[in-house]
Every structure is written in structure tokens, then in C-alpha cells.
Amino acid sequence: MIRAILLLLMLAAPLRAQTPLAPGEARLLILHDHANPVVAEMVRLTLRGEYDLTVSLESLTFPASDAYDWVQIDRDRWFQERIGGRMIQVFERDIALFPRQAGDLSIGPLVHDLTHITRAGVREPRAVRSGVARLAVKPFPHAARPLTARTLVLTDDLSAPPGRLAQDDILTRRVTIEALGAMAHHLPPRPEIAQPWLISFTLPETRETIPTPDGPVARVVWEWQMRPRTGEPGVLPAIPFAWLDTDTRRIEVAAMKPIPFGFAGFTASSGAALGAVSAWRMVAVAGLGALIGLAAVLRGRLPAGLRAWRRGPHAAAMRRAAGQGDLTALRAAAAADLAWRGRTGPRHRALLAALDRRLYAPADGSGFDAQGWLQAWWRARG
């Protein structure tokens, strides 16, 4: 449904642009490809001027605003086009715009200042004023920092195997995130990497926005130099970043991978310590498995505290959102619940897709049973 609406909007632009001009007439249009973006989502604007004039000089400034970020993504285009049987001078400029907050957003009016050469060869100033484009911006559907992209790639490169470092080796870790359809300051801040057993030096980050005709490419590079303090092994945990895929309309997660550290030559005492740690981990895993098995046997007869433990720290937020019919809050709490559990099954994906359709598709008058959806969510978790 969403793709169909976008297609209609894109098809509507040339139809509007082909409306005949009266002799000597000029008009400036603000065309866009998205009427209902979420916060931080790219909206492609095309500023199109159609002038039955001879233009020698021009100036058009896109206004700055606290309500949005923007960047021009391609060079201005001037060309001739036949409209209503006459050749008309056409101007086009492509802008990528990113709303900063939810709510109604108005863009314009814009003014294109022209110098027109009359048939008598006289230069005359002409100001062409556009209408106003309006967007209904929705909240970002996740509790994380808003980040949207058409594609996002995270690479996590290590200079050496981290589990077999020599005594004086230094490991260089380089993390790069590139996102198409985002700006550099939308990308997450550099995470802190610190452990009691680790010596870490942070190099200055590089962050840039590269305009392309398909939209800006945001890029950030983080680099650390690290080494363990002792031969005792340790693990740096994974660091996840949530983002909205603007093509699928789904929240995805890109993550810096977990890294196990250690020196190549352990002493016998280090090996014994590692064995003890492994044994304790096995005991902990076995105990957790026993608790989960007991919960499965007692399903439906769990004490309230144990039921709350099974449903996790985001259950209350989900119940509250479902009770109030706040589907945006329900979507954010469900995403946080999945991030806390670290897995997504096919039943969860189907339920999220159904909720997203209701959130982002135009209202069709049908109801949405938020309480029934929530019960299906609990059942999907088993």
C-alpha cells in the first residue's frame, strides 16, 4: 500500500508539471516523494520552476529551519521542455530533507529571483513564488536514537586475531558505518570501550556526509588501539545499533561484534583460571535452563513475579501502550523487548509487519485490536 501511494505521488508530479502555461507565465513547484515520513527519514524534494521567459540570472535559497535538516544532492538542471505545445525553460533542484520532530511540517513558500530579458532586450527582475508543501511527520518507531536509511552497512575490522595476541601486540579495531539516505550526525555517537582488564586508546573519529543523486551517504569511522593488561582472557560485548529500513519499513539492528581477547602463551595458572570461569559459566547456563524448564511446566500457573520475569522489563510498557491504544508506543516497546531478548522469530516478524502496516498505511477505517495483538505477541514467545 505504501509503495503504491509513493508511486502515485511520483506519477502525479509530471502530470502537474505538464499543465500548460499562459504566455509569459512563470511558476515554481515543490514536489516530494513522501507525505508521511518518520522523524529523521529522508524526503526527496524537487524544486521545479517552469518559465515562459528568457532567464539570464537567477538566485534561489532554500531556507534553513529548526524543524529539519537538509542538503542539496545534485547539481541544478536547466533545460527546455515542451509544455502545452510550446518550449518552456525548466529549472530543477533536488533536496534531501530530514524532519527533526514529529508533527505537521510546512516547507515554503520559496522565492526564485530571476532576471528576465524581454523581447526588446531589456533586463527586468522577476520574483517567482512557490506554494507550501506539507508533510505529516510520524514519531520514530523505536526507543533508540532516530536513524533511517535505505541501506546501512557496518564493518568491524581487526588487525590481528584477538585471542592469540603476543605479549607486546597492540590490536587495532576499525569500525565503519555507511548509510544511504542519512546525514553524518544521524549516525550513532562513538561507543565507549572500557574494561578493567583492557588498555584502550581512542583515535579521533571521522564523520562526513557525501551527496549523491540517490541521496546523501553518511559515513563515520571509529578506531581504537587495544591490548589486555594481563594474560587472563576477557570478552568485549557486542554493541547494537537500531535503524529503520525505509524500503521495508522495519526496524533492523547492526552490531559491533563481540571480541574475545587473550595472549597466545597462557601459563598453567591462567589455564586453570580459565577452566574455573568456564565451569562457572556451565553451572550458570544449566541453572538458567532448569528455571526455563520449570517455567514451561508451570505455564499458566506461574506466580505473578515469575510471570513478570519471563515477560521481561518491557512488558509493562507494552501493556500500558496496548491499553491506551497508542500503537507508536506499542511498536517501540515491542522493538525494545526483542532487542533485550536478542532474537526475532518468524511469528514476531509477522506481528511487527501487521503493526507497521497499521501505523504507516493510510487509515482505512478498520479497527486494530491492540490487546489481541499483545496476547499473540506473548504466545509467540512461547
Side-chain angles (χ1 to χ4, degrees), residues 97-112:
L97 181 139
F98 301 85
R100 292 179 180 172
Q101 62 259 338
D104 294 330
L105 174 61
S106 297
I107 305 158
L110 309 180
V111 177
H112 200 175

Side-chain angles (χ1 to χ4, degrees), residues 49 131 206 330 353:
T206 60
L330 180 60

Side-chain angles (χ1 to χ4, degrees), residues 212-340:
T212 78
D214 292 326
V217 175
R219 187 171 189 263
V220 66
V221 179
W222 302 317
E223 195 165 317
W224 297 267
Q225 292 183 339
M226 301 176 286
R227 67 181 300 271
R229 294 180 184 274
T230 67
E232 181 179 352
V235 178
L236 284 179
I239 302 176
F241 306 103
W243 62 285
L244 175 70
D245 186 320
T246 57
D247 285 339
T248 65
R249 314 305 297 174
R250 287 176 49 186
I251 294 291
E252 305 289 351
V253 176
M256 294 169 55
K257 59 193 174 187
I259 299 180
F261 272 88
F263 289 135
F266 287 123
T267 64
S269 61
S270 296
L274 176 58
V277 171
S278 298
W280 277 109
R281 286 179 179 171
M282 291 176 65
V283 171
V285 170
L288 181 59
L291 282 174
I292 293 174
L294 177 62
V297 172
L298 297 178
R299 184 177 300 164
R301 296 185 288 111
L302 291 172
L306 191 52
R307 282 199 302 272
W309 173 82
R310 281 187 68 235
R311 290 184 172 178
H314 304 287
M318 295 181 72
R319 284 196 302 272
R320 182 167 55 252
Q324 296 172 352
D326 188 344
L327 302 189
T328 299
L330 180 60
R331 179 60 170 83
D337 180 68
L338 287 184
W340 177 74

Side-chain angles (χ1 to χ4, degrees), residues 144-160:
R145 172 193 180 104
L147 173 58
T148 75
R150 289 177 56 188
T151 59
L152 185 144
V153 177
L154 184 151
T155 57
D156 193 350
D157 296 325
L158 305 176
S159 62

